[in-house]
Amino acid sequence: MEEFATNIWKVEGPCVNFFGIPYPTRMVVIRLTKGDYCDCAWIWSPIPISDDLAEEVESKAGPIKFIVSPNKIHHLFLKEWADRYPDAVVYAPPGLEKRKVADGIRFDARFGEGEPEPGFAEEIDLVSITGSYFMEEVAFFHRSSKTAIVCDFIQRHREDEMTGFTGLLMRLDGLVGERGSTPRDWRMTFWPFGKMGLRKARDVMLNWNAEKLIIAHGMCVENGASDVIKNACSWI
């Protein structure tokens, strides 16, 4: 676990195959410090669990209370965490429960319109990135550290790691380097009627005035994150 800010850590996971492209994985751990869940852990986009990792998370962030999937394709390791921590609240993002891959995963709560306010709302804000007919994503904001947490919607893969044919494809998709953004094929799925919801989500993220940014794939940002988010959303 690498400390990213006070009470927030990122944990690097293995690469997974996504349509033939090796994608790095990353998990976020937040130690909650207020209310009923003070000194409990919030887990985002879990990577493979191990005894050592579980013990480290619990020792640094406390007992695991919330396990969060940000979108319907970040599900690979949810079950093993949910099974190990039966008292944790496992959140489903829009669309995941309808997929065959979700069979056998226990979900206790959901993100989406009309759903109850999550138990971690006192410390972590969220917004659903809606309007796509392919996939919705839930982005988060840890208030005390001013850290935005975004999954696949913003990707900034390191240029020195994007080589060969795979690197060419990733560059053509606008996902490499400091100005990395949203995959172009995903962008197209907001047409023709999805831009209104998308703009609302963008405005919420910009109003966070984030100083830091953690993303699932690529370079995180430790200063000036709001400008990075604004540039990444310039296609909207």
Side-chain angles (χ1 to χ4, degrees):
M1 292 172 62
E2 177 185 349
E3 186 173 16
F4 186 76
T6 302
N7 291 321
I8 182 167
W9 296 263
K10 56 189 180 76
V11 190
E12 305 302 321
C15 284
V16 297
N17 186 297
F18 186 70
F19 292 104
I21 296 175
Y23 256 70
T25 57
R26 177 176 291 137
M27 180 175 85
V28 174
V29 179
I30 292 177
R31 178 176 171 265
L32 302 174
T33 60
K34 297 180 181 179
D36 294 340
Y37 305 111
C38 182
D39 294 328
C40 291
W42 180 92
I43 306 293
W44 174 89
S45 190
I47 62 172
I49 199 168
S50 67
D51 290 342
D52 288 344
L53 177 57
E55 290 172 8
E56 186 175 12
V57 170
E58 292 178 43
S59 67
K60 292 182 176 178
I64 293 166
K65 182 60 181 178
F66 300 103
I67 302 172
V68 169
S69 169
N71 65 42
K72 69 179 184 180
I73 60 176
H74 275 244
H75 59 80
L76 291 178
F77 310 111
L78 271 178
K79 187 178 188 306
E80 55 195 74
W81 285 80
D83 289 349
R84 181 163 183 141
Y85 296 102
D87 294 331
V89 180
V90 182
Y91 274 85
L96 176 53
E97 288 180 287
K98 298 177 182 178
R99 300 189 64 203
K100 184 69 174 176
V101 294
D103 289 352
I105 301 176
R106 169 180 59 85
F107 292 108
D108 308 295
R110 285 138 205 91
F111 297 120
E113 187 175 353
E115 295 294 337
E117 183 177 76
F120 52 81
E122 190 174 357
E123 299 184 58
I124 301 171
D125 294 327
L126 63 85
V127 64
S128 292
I129 301 170
T130 64
S132 166
Y133 57 78
F134 166 63
M135 183 170 70
E136 294 184 23
E137 180 169 301
V138 184
F140 300 89
F141 180 64
H142 183 230
R143 292 195 208 109
S144 64
S145 68
K146 303 203 75 173
T147 300
I149 304 170
V150 182
C151 191
D152 296 322
F153 189 71
I154 298 175
Q155 300 185 31
R156 307 170 73 242
H157 297 269
R158 294 180 58 90
E159 294 192 30
D160 58 353
E161 295 176 355
M162 293 294 105
T163 60
F165 184 66
T166 296
L168 174 62
L169 291 178
M170 299 292 271
R171 284 179 169 81
L172 290 174
D173 213 12
L175 307 179
V176 179
E178 297 286 344
R179 297 187 66 83
S181 183
T182 309
R184 297 186 190 278
D185 52 351
W186 190 6
R187 298 183 197 184
M188 296 299 294
T189 67
F190 289 92
W191 293 95
F193 305 116
K195 282 294 188 77
M196 183 177 296
L198 178 59
R199 291 189 182 106
K200 288 180 180 178
R202 173 203 60 191
D203 292 346
V204 170
M205 288 191 286
L206 291 178
N207 286 335
W208 286 339
N209 292 315
E211 293 179 0
K212 303 176 186 294
L213 171 67
I214 297 179
I215 58 177
H217 312 297
M219 298 176 290
C220 298
V221 180
E222 296 190 13
N223 296 285
S226 188
D227 287 339
V228 172
I229 294 171
K230 182 178 180 180
N231 288 333
C233 293
S234 61
W235 62 272
I236 299 173

